[in-house]
Amino acid sequence: MTDVLRRGRASLAFSFFAQGAAFALLVTRIPAVQDRYGVSDALLPAFLAAVPVLAGVGSVTTEQLVKRVRPSRLLRWSQPVVLLALLGVGAGGQGQVAALAVALGVFGLAVGALDASMNMLGVSLQRTYGRSIMLGFHAAYSLGGIVGASLAWAGAHWHLALWVSYLPVVAVLLPAALVGSRWYVDGEPAPAADDRAGGTGVVFKLLLPLCLVMTFAYIGDSTVSNWSAKYLKDVLGSSEQLATGPYNVYMVTTLVGRAVGDHGVRRIGAVTVVRLGTLVAAGGFAVVAVAPGAWIGMLGFTLLGLGLCVLVPQTFAAAGRMFPGASDTAIARLNIFNYVGFLIGSPLVGALGDTWSYRGAMLVPMVLVLVTLVYARSFAAQPDRYGGGHERPRTADVGRGSNGL
């Protein structure tokens, strides 16, 4: 079973990587998509908001589907749909707004199913391993995002048509993901250790603190992705070239933090890691808000990457521990708040920046992220079928049986 688990872990990490690359290729080329289809500035926000809304619908649908279909099977077929939808976005032409709407709609629905099923498999595999590995999967996602953003930059630099940029990526990732899906591992749900989960159900009141943490983490993340360049250029007076730096630095530090984060969880525990990440992220927002110049602002965005990177993976893992007998349901519901945070974050900061100040606006996600400290105990290991906390001694590599083979 050692080889089975290792192959399952590697194939799932590649799925996270492929999704990170696909999402980055879409969001970093939004201006090119707008130009290609002739979408007006007034209509563009509606298109952009529709994707996370439909992704939430996809996540809710996944919650129902996993009662009949294994998460590995949903992931196996939702990932190719995401990649083909990405290609569809690049294939249309001027005036074909309806085609764009269909492609983005399919992309959004499939992304919801993909995000939910990926994290379901990650949590169940972590349970089988008996030690923290979720941050490693999200590190693969960050790496994919860096690769996707770099390829998007190359396409823009060489003035390539969108479909020319997307086709080679899809041609490589789609068959590789299908081949890798042969080794996905569906872990057995752990029996509920007490009445917290109502046996096999999810008590939303207990899940709510994690939903809030997920929302606030993505408000912080969307603030960086949507406003960091404008903030550095318009508020801190940087050059246009330097203004592209914060998001790149943020992505790199997110990758670094997640790459070493699992080791930190094993050494000092999830609660301490989440608290430290929260404080570092809040410190990053504070530095950005008071920065006298561009380079200090860059330092703030660096701290944000190191702090925020641990919150989302640990929130999914905590949901799996809190409801061991119904982890798939808990993760599907929690995943919805990923998109809630994404929808709230950018308009919130923009509205505050326009009516108040962008420096002041940066303090709002700082305060929201700090709320995580109130709920940090929700990340503690829960009793499980092994008689102790979720983090067990290093017996993971001998593995346990899987019903996904």
Side-chain angles (χ1 to χ4, degrees), residues 314-347:
Q314 284 307 303
T315 305
F316 279 121
R321 291 193 295 268
M322 185 177 290
F323 300 99
S327 62
D328 288 349
T329 299
I331 290 164
R333 294 182 186 179
L334 180 61
N335 188 57
I336 297 169
F337 291 85
N338 161 352
Y339 312 118
V340 172
F342 191 85
L343 277 172
I344 292 174
S346 181

Side-chain angles (χ1 to χ4, degrees), residues 140-390:
Y141 181 94
S142 296
L143 179 60
I146 293 170
V147 171
S150 300
L151 291 173
W153 176 89
H157 179 73
W158 294 104
H159 304 291
L160 300 177
L162 281 173
W163 73 269
V164 176
S165 295
Y166 291 166
L167 181 58
V169 177
V170 174
V172 171
L173 291 182
L174 195 153
L178 284 174
V179 171
S181 68
R182 297 173 53 198
W183 294 290
Y184 291 153
V185 175
D186 284 291
E188 290 280 4
D194 52 32
D195 291 331
R196 290 170 60 85
T200 58
V202 172
V203 180
F204 186 73
K205 183 178 179 180
L206 297 176
L207 187 65
L208 181 59
L210 297 180
C211 295
L212 292 175
V213 171
M214 180 71 79
T215 300
F216 299 154
Y218 269 99
I219 287 175
D221 181 83
S222 65
T223 298
V224 178
S225 59
N226 289 290
W227 294 104
S228 58
K230 179 178 176 62
Y231 187 87
L232 219 70
K233 185 174 184 294
D234 294 351
V235 178
L236 301 183
S238 77
S239 66
E240 188 168 347
Q241 183 175 1
L242 184 59
T244 64
Y247 187 69
N248 290 331
V249 169
Y250 174 77
M251 290 296 293
V252 171
T253 52
T254 295
L255 171 61
V256 171
R258 287 174 172 174
V260 302
D262 283 322
H263 180 70
V265 172
R266 296 168 201 159
R267 292 292 299 273
I268 61 177
V271 173
T272 303
V273 167
V274 167
R275 284 174 173 160
L276 288 174
T278 299
L279 291 173
V280 171
F285 275 119
V287 170
V288 169
V290 303
W295 288 105
I296 301 298
M298 291 278 282
L299 173 63
F301 288 113
T302 301
L303 293 174
L304 279 170
L306 291 172
L308 288 176
C309 70
V310 301
L311 298 185
V312 171
Q314 284 307 303
T315 305
F316 279 121
R321 291 193 295 268
M322 185 177 290
F323 300 99
S327 62
D328 288 349
T329 299
I331 290 164
R333 294 182 186 179
L334 180 61
N335 188 57
I336 297 169
F337 291 85
N338 161 352
Y339 312 118
V340 172
F342 191 85
L343 277 172
I344 292 174
S346 181
L348 175 66
V349 172
L352 289 172
D354 290 339
T355 59
W356 179 25
S357 77
Y358 280 98
R359 287 188 183 274
M362 291 295 166
L363 298 177
V364 175
M366 180 193 77
V367 172
L368 293 177
V369 168
L370 280 172
V371 174
T372 300
L373 294 175
V374 178
Y375 301 123
R377 293 304 304 172
S378 298
F379 292 82
Q382 305 295 331
D384 64 13
R385 59 179 169 171
Y386 303 106
H390 176 76

